[in-house]
Structures are given as structure tokens and as C-alpha cells.
Amino acid sequence: MSFTDKAKSKAQELTGVAKERIGDVTDNERMRAEGANEQSAARAQQAKEAGGEVKGAMR
């Protein structure tokens, strides 16, 4: 996983956190759900890439 990929995943996760919090403050369920979705997608990507690093290290 390159530094750029890590940065993109982290930025997506932070964007999701921000959207979710804005949704909480404004009582906007759609924004809250979008934020949670973005966080989940970013975390899944990070886990997938971390799994690839472990697999590569095992070789």
C-alpha cells in the first residue's frame, strides 16, 4: 500500500466522519448515512490493503 493510497483512504474516512457529524448536528439522516457509508468503505479499503501487505511479508 503506497503512501498515496493510505492518504486517500484516510481522507475518505475523515470526510465520512465530518459528514456524519454534520448530519447529527443538522438532524439530517441522509447526510449521517452517507458519512457512515464513506467511513465503512474507507476502513474496508484500508483492511484490504493491510491484508495484502501481510500476505506479501509472508512470502
Side-chain angles (χ1 to χ4, degrees), residues 34-55:
E34 277 182 31
N37 252 354
E38 282 190 31
Q39 287 179 66
S40 295
R43 289 181 183 145
Q45 183 65 29
Q46 290 169 0
K48 177 183 172 189
E49 291 168 351
E53 287 179 4
V54 169
K55 185 177 178 181

Side-chain angles (χ1 to χ4, degrees), residues 5-55:
D5 293 335
K6 287 180 184 180
K8 285 180 183 179
S9 291
K10 195 61 172 175
Q12 183 181 11
E13 183 178 358
L14 293 175
T15 301
V17 169
K19 282 185 177 182
E20 189 171 14
R21 289 189 180 159
I22 290 170
D24 284 339
V25 171
T26 61
D27 199 30
N28 184 335
E29 193 62 39
R30 182 175 177 204
M31 179 81 74
R32 191 178 304 146
E34 277 182 31
N37 252 354
E38 282 190 31
Q39 287 179 66
S40 295
R43 289 181 183 145
Q45 183 65 29
Q46 290 169 0
K48 177 183 172 189
E49 291 168 351
E53 287 179 4
V54 169
K55 185 177 178 181

